[in-house]
Amino acid sequence: MTQTIPTADYPFVDGYPLPISAAQARDDALFQRAVTAYRFWYPTVSAEGVFQGNRDVGIADGEGMGLVAAGPRQVGFTLNSDTPYGATAIDLTDGPVVVDIPPGPYIGLVDDRHQRWILDLGIPGPDQGKGGRHLILPPGYEGEPPPGFHVGRSATNLVLLAIRALPLDGDMPKALAALRAVKVHPLDAPDRLLEYTDNTARAVDASCLRWENGLDFWRVLHTVLDAEPVTEEFRPMHGLLTALGIGKGRPFAPDDRTAAILERAAVAAKAQMLISAFASDRPDRLAWPDRRWEWVGLVPDDADFETPAGLDLEARDRWFIQAIVASPAMFRRSQGAGSLYWLGLRDTDGAYLDGGAGYRLTVPAPVPAELFWSVTVYDAQTRSEVTTAQDKAALRSLVELADITPGVPIDLYFGPSAPPQHAGTRWIQTEPGRGWFAYFRIYGPQPAAFDGGWKPGDFERL
């Protein structure tokens, strides 16, 4: 007797799928695999956006470092204006590379091409801000590293060096100049130093926004993976890509049907990641039970988002859709952390922050910052500093707020128009029709930042 049995919405007859259901099932499976692959490999494509930003202004991989005192004209996921940046693609193809940092207030790291942590530098690193020589080893390096180095091993040939100089006296040009004292060169060619290019005045896009919504995402991913060794820990995910037509040593040439599915998956996967970032209902996201502020990093002290239960994929999605690079020091929630920051995207009533409305944020004093603190405003669509006629996105204790009265709470304002009493000094302009969010950052956090003894107010709609 012939019997039709529906299985997961695909009709089967006598245990066999009907041809039409088999074709639909194959498409659905391809879509699901593509969504999973997009989310997993997003950090890889995002890192390529940082490298491409340098290439676009003439800085070749392994030959130069881009310097920037960032502002709204630089597009990059949650870049800030607090500290000047240096970023470069270090090429390990020809052997180990040295990163020599002088004593001073530097915060830096090296991540591989998949944004996996290799080594911290400066204050959060093994040199603790006292200066040190760091050696980055290429994949499969079997030699004995020379003595006198802090050693990191990479699983990829291209790695990302990102370093900041803290402007402890509020002098941004001085901090920017301090980045030039960092020396990067091949181990066997100490005179072949990276050159420095100041991009502060340039419009630079160091993000993957240009690729993330379509087939270009997959093209970039294929190019990167074809140039790098297969990462052993990622073998299951490499296998998943094979089903999508992305494999090492083979061209990426999807047919029209597969291309359409990959494009649709990119849009859906990005939306899922943004929901993890901006609409999560996880209780552990809240920094304080009576505030709307949230933790950006949900897994403390772990750059790979590992927990006793396994890999926290939602925490990983949440981080990389709105930020770049990862290090255990970035997620530390205890005394000794170099910096600490929270995400604010809702007002006192729980509504998303609206670029067409005005808000007040009350900051209790003193802020438990050994060094300094800031509030930076980001566009929800670009996850980069807001772009307005004001051309400013940050209120910083060392700059705009340097004249505040110690011990007195301070009100900060946000909206399309400045409140008359604080025009241009304690106000950040926002754009009607564009949602925004803020990061509250503390550098050199003190105990009250961790134990609940201090906490900022919520955004109050005016």
Side-chain angles (χ1 to χ4, degrees), residues 48 55 93 96 127 141 155 178 216 236 238 270 289 315 332 344 362 366 458:
E48 197 65 12
R55 295 170 191 146
T93 303
D127 61 283
Y141 185 84
D216 280 344
H238 281 282
K270 175 190 168 184
R332 197 162 292 147
T362 300
D458 283 322

Side-chain angles (χ1 to χ4, degrees), residues 179-426:
L179 291 173
R180 296 179 180 272
V182 176
K183 305 301 181 185
V184 183
H185 60 82
L187 176 63
D188 59 1
D191 295 331
R192 207 172 86 208
L193 297 171
L194 288 189
E195 298 181 354
Y196 298 89
T197 302
D198 188 347
N199 295 318
T200 300
R202 290 178 170 176
V204 178
D205 185 350
S207 77
C208 62
L209 289 169
R210 69 194 95 180
W211 306 318
E212 66 179 6
N213 288 315
L215 206 59
D216 280 344
F217 177 93
W218 306 103
R219 291 192 182 102
V220 170
L221 178 60
H222 172 264
T223 298
V224 172
L225 296 183
D226 201 41
E228 294 289 354
V230 172
T231 302
E232 288 300 318
E233 301 94 311
F234 289 177
R235 279 198 175 274
M237 303 309 296
H238 281 282
L240 191 66
L241 289 177
T242 302
L244 306 179
I246 298 174
K248 191 171 177 62
R250 55 188 287 191
F252 175 58
D255 57 27
D256 291 345
R257 165 185 152 272
T258 302
I261 291 172
L262 291 175
E263 288 185 332
R264 185 162 57 92
V267 173
K270 175 190 168 184
Q272 291 178 15
M273 294 180 75
L274 288 171
I275 287 168
S276 295
F278 299 140
S280 173
D281 59 358
R282 287 176 50 153
D284 64 340
R285 79 188 190 284
L286 294 174
W288 304 279
D290 58 345
R291 294 289 190 275
R292 301 287 183 182
W293 291 94
E294 303 181 4
W295 296 106
V296 184
L298 299 183
V299 181
D301 301 314
D302 194 291
D304 294 322
F305 306 92
E306 292 283 355
T307 73
L311 183 64
D312 191 330
L313 290 172
E314 182 180 12
R316 189 176 184 268
D317 284 354
R318 176 182 174 90
W319 175 259
F320 284 117
I321 197 67
Q322 61 178 306
I324 50 174
V325 303
S327 155
M330 300 177 73
F331 305 126
R332 197 162 292 147
R333 300 184 191 175
S334 59
Q335 187 73 12
S339 59
L340 194 66
Y341 42 102
W342 301 278
L343 163 69
L345 70 160
R346 299 179 185 272
D347 65 17
T348 51
D349 296 323
Y352 286 121
L353 299 173
D354 178 359
Y359 299 88
R360 176 174 54 231
L361 172 67
T362 300
V363 180
V367 176
E370 202 170 294
L371 301 175
F372 53 94
W373 60 274
S374 70
V375 178
T376 307
V377 176
Y378 298 100
D379 185 295
Q381 295 179 47
T382 66
R383 287 94 75 197
S384 303
E385 291 190 11
V386 291
T387 303
T388 65
Q390 188 190 35
D391 194 33
K392 186 173 75 171
L395 295 173
R396 300 163 290 183
S397 65
L398 291 178
V399 186
E400 294 84 2
L401 308 177
D403 62 345
I404 61 176
T405 303
V408 177
I410 180 173
D411 288 336
L412 308 179
Y413 295 88
F414 309 83
S417 302
Q421 69 272 33
H422 294 301
T425 57
R426 299 183 185 179

Side-chain angles (χ1 to χ4, degrees), residues 116-168:
R116 296 190 307 163
W117 176 71
I118 296 174
L119 192 66
D120 281 320
L121 312 169
I123 293 172
D127 61 283
Q128 300 180 328
K130 299 174 184 176
R133 306 188 73 201
H134 307 78
L135 186 65
I136 315 303
L137 304 179
Y141 185 84
E142 296 180 355
E144 184 66 26
F149 289 96
H150 304 294
V151 177
R153 295 179 179 271
S154 174
T156 60
N157 291 313
L158 213 62
V159 301
L160 172 61
L161 166 63
I163 189 162
R164 297 185 287 165
L166 304 183
L168 299 183

Side-chain angles (χ1 to χ4, degrees), residues 19-70:
I20 187 170
S21 69
Q24 182 61 51
R26 282 194 293 270
D27 284 357
D28 289 349
L30 189 66
F31 175 77
Q32 292 168 7
R33 288 170 179 147
V35 168
T36 299
Y38 181 103
R39 294 169 66 173
F40 185 84
W41 293 103
Y42 189 92
T44 304
V45 176
S46 181
E48 197 65 12
V50 179
F51 297 151
Q52 191 61 45
N54 271 354
R55 295 170 191 146
D56 288 344
V57 295
I59 302 173
D61 297 347
E63 295 182 10
M65 178 184 291
L67 307 180
V68 61

